[in-house]
């Protein structure tokens, strides 16, 4: 869908199935998506202890091919994409010339001269437009493949066992941040192992026409292990517990990767120039000399839930802002991520609170993530 078409909500290939399951639907970046099927807490805990099934078909797939595909991506993105091996993936970002983050991405190298860039739904058109513009002068093609894929994720400790019953692909040999072509329940798919929940799991990129068959096969295979369908609501609390940033909350065009504590994704040592290099070099120097606000975790001492935009306070002064907040089903307490002044960023810093509608609620500063799975 181009940005000039009417803004009616898009529906995934699994839309009718979600409705048949009684899902509560919500608008997300122009897509009608399942928010929850029943209790979001139950869905969250299923992923932490068993397995959950997600429709992520709203994500934006952009294919980059051609003899200079690697050079184009090295120029357009901040990471060293040319060094990614075939069958592997890399987390990276695309920035403006001033260093501001346009989006965070996962890039899969599918073949020697073929890559798939996966963008957030809210930024897919922006990323597509930027890559198309930056492709000028490179022997490479940028293709909008958003309609070519449905994306289904199975996440949680039981997910490898469930998927093994449906594929003969080498899941044991599939490393974290890798992808391989295979067949799942007779359906051709790219099987990736990345995830956004803090748990082990897999993403299956398949043709939209095969989505229902794939979802049903995973549902049937997962039933004995306690797999349940999961919506966007628990995906958000899962990623929050895992300390994973969400674009529009922890990441934005007003922040550089260094402001977000993710300067490690910027590779100054790669060959050639890249968009934003100069501004990002200056941002790296600033961050080293005098850290800007630091992204930290906050755990409530009480029961009141912080939300994005709430001020973080200490000694009667505003020292930061909440970017994401929710009740944590795993910790049993409200939690938040927030950018706070460096002087108040150390875990255990005393006297920090969140201004919740005029009341300064006490919070403990902790290191991220809140939750780490046992390997």
């Amino acid at each position: 869908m181009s940005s000039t078409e009417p803004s009616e909500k898009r529906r995934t290939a699994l839309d009718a199935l979600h409705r048949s399951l009684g899902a509560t639907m919500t608008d997300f970046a122009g897509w009608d998506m399942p928010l929850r099927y029943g209790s979001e807490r139950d869905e969250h805990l299923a992923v932490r202890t068993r397995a959950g099934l997600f429709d992520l078909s709203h994500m934006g797939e952009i294919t980059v091919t051609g003899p200079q595909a690697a050079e184009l991506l090295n120029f357009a993105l901040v990471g060293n994409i040319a060094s990614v091996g075939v069958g592997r993936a890399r987390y990276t970002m695309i920035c403006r010339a001033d260093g501001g983050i346009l989006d965070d991405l996962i890039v899969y190298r599918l073949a020697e001269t073929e890559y798939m860039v996966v963008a957030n739904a809210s930024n897919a058109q922006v990323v597509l437009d930027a890559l198309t513009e930056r492709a000028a002068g490179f022997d490479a093609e940028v293709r909008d493949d958003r309609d070519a894929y449905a994306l289904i994720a199975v996440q949680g400790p039981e997910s490898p066992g469930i998927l093994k019953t449906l594929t003969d692909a080498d899941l044991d040999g599939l490393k974290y941040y890798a992808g391989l072509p295979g067949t799942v329940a007779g359906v051709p798919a790219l099987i990736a192992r990345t995830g956004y929940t803090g748990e082990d799991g897999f993403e299956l990129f398949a043709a939209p026409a095969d989505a229902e068959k794939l979802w049903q096969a995973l549902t049937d295979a997962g039933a004995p292990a306690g797999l349940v369908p999961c919506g966007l609501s628990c995906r958000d609390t899962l990623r929050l517990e895992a300390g994973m940033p969400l674009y529009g909350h922890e990441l934005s065009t007003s922040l550089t990767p260094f402001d977000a504590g993710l300067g490690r994704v910027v590779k100054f040592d790669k060959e050639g120039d890249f968009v934003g290099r100069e501004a990002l070099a200056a941002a790296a120097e600033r961050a080293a000399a005098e850290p800007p606000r630091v992204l930290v975790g906050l755990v409530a001492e009480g029961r009141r839930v912080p939300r994005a935009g709430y001020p973080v306070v200490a000694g009667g002064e505003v020292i930061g802002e909440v970017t994401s907040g929710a009740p944590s089903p795993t910790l049993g307490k409200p939690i938040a991520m927030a950018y706070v002044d460096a002087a108040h960023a150390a875990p255990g810093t005393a006297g920090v609170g969140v201004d919740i509608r005029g009341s300064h609620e006490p919070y403990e500063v902790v290191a991220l993530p809140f939750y780490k799975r046992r390997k």
Side-chain angles (χ1 to χ4, degrees), residues 20 36 43 66 76 127 169 201 211 235 256 281 289 296 301 350 353 365:
S20 74
R36 70 181 75 82
E43 291 172 21
V127 174
R235 182 170 155 86
T256 72
V296 301
E301 293 180 24
V365 179

Side-chain angles (χ1 to χ4, degrees), residues 1 4 12 66 78 82 98 108 149 154 168 256 258 299 304 338:
M1 183 176 80
T4 56
T12 78
V78 301
D98 67 1
Y108 296 89
Y149 292 103
V154 54
D168 55 7
T256 72
F258 295 95
V299 178
R304 298 189 71 187

Side-chain angles (χ1 to χ4, degrees), residues 46-284:
V47 176
R48 285 278 176 258
T49 59
R50 304 186 306 278
L53 193 59
F54 296 84
D55 178 9
L56 304 180
S57 303
H58 60 311
M59 300 294 280
E61 296 86 6
I62 301 162
T63 303
V64 180
T65 57
Q68 290 190 305
E71 289 92 334
L72 162 59
L73 290 171
N74 261 17
F75 170 72
L77 311 180
V78 301
N80 188 350
I81 309 304
S83 68
V84 177
V86 173
R88 298 306 304 266
R90 183 156 295 164
Y91 176 78
T92 188
M93 293 182 183
I94 181 167
C95 291
R96 302 191 307 193
D98 67 1
I101 303 166
L102 283 172
D103 201 13
D104 61 336
L105 312 165
I106 296 178
V107 180
Y108 296 89
R109 189 170 196 167
L110 304 180
E112 195 60 39
T113 59
E114 182 180 2
Y115 296 81
M116 182 168 68
V117 177
V118 182
N120 286 297
S122 56
N123 294 326
Q125 189 66 46
V126 169
V127 174
L128 177 67
D129 291 346
L131 286 175
T132 303
E133 184 184 325
R134 294 173 190 187
F138 289 94
D139 188 2
E141 180 197 350
V142 176
R143 188 174 71 234
D144 181 359
D145 270 349
R146 285 176 287 177
D147 292 335
Y149 292 103
L151 177 56
I152 295 172
V154 54
Q155 293 277 306
E158 298 290 339
S159 55
I162 293 167
L163 198 54
K164 277 178 185 175
T165 66
L166 298 173
T167 183
D168 55 7
D170 179 18
L171 298 185
D172 291 334
L174 185 65
K175 295 184 173 71
Y176 188 49
Y177 266 73
L180 83 168
T183 303
V184 181
V187 170
L190 172 69
I191 305 167
R193 195 173 206 160
T194 54
Y196 192 55
T197 63
E199 299 298 337
D200 192 10
F202 303 88
E203 294 73 45
L204 307 171
F205 295 85
D210 292 329
E212 279 202 30
K213 180 183 177 185
L214 194 53
W215 180 280
Q216 201 55 56
L218 286 159
T219 298
D220 295 345
L227 174 140
V228 300
C230 293
L232 291 178
S233 187
C234 85
R235 182 170 155 86
D236 192 48
T237 52
L238 288 159
R239 70 93 195 166
L240 177 55
E241 287 184 351
M244 294 175 167
L246 175 63
Y247 195 90
H249 289 257
E250 288 72 41
L251 308 174
S252 70
T253 51
S254 64
L255 296 169
T256 72
F258 295 95
D259 298 325
L262 291 165
R264 65 181 179 276
V265 306
V266 182
K267 303 301 181 190
F268 293 113
D269 57 353
K270 62 179 175 177
E271 275 185 37
D273 195 14
F274 63 91
V275 176
R277 178 194 273 274
E278 201 172 308
L280 289 168

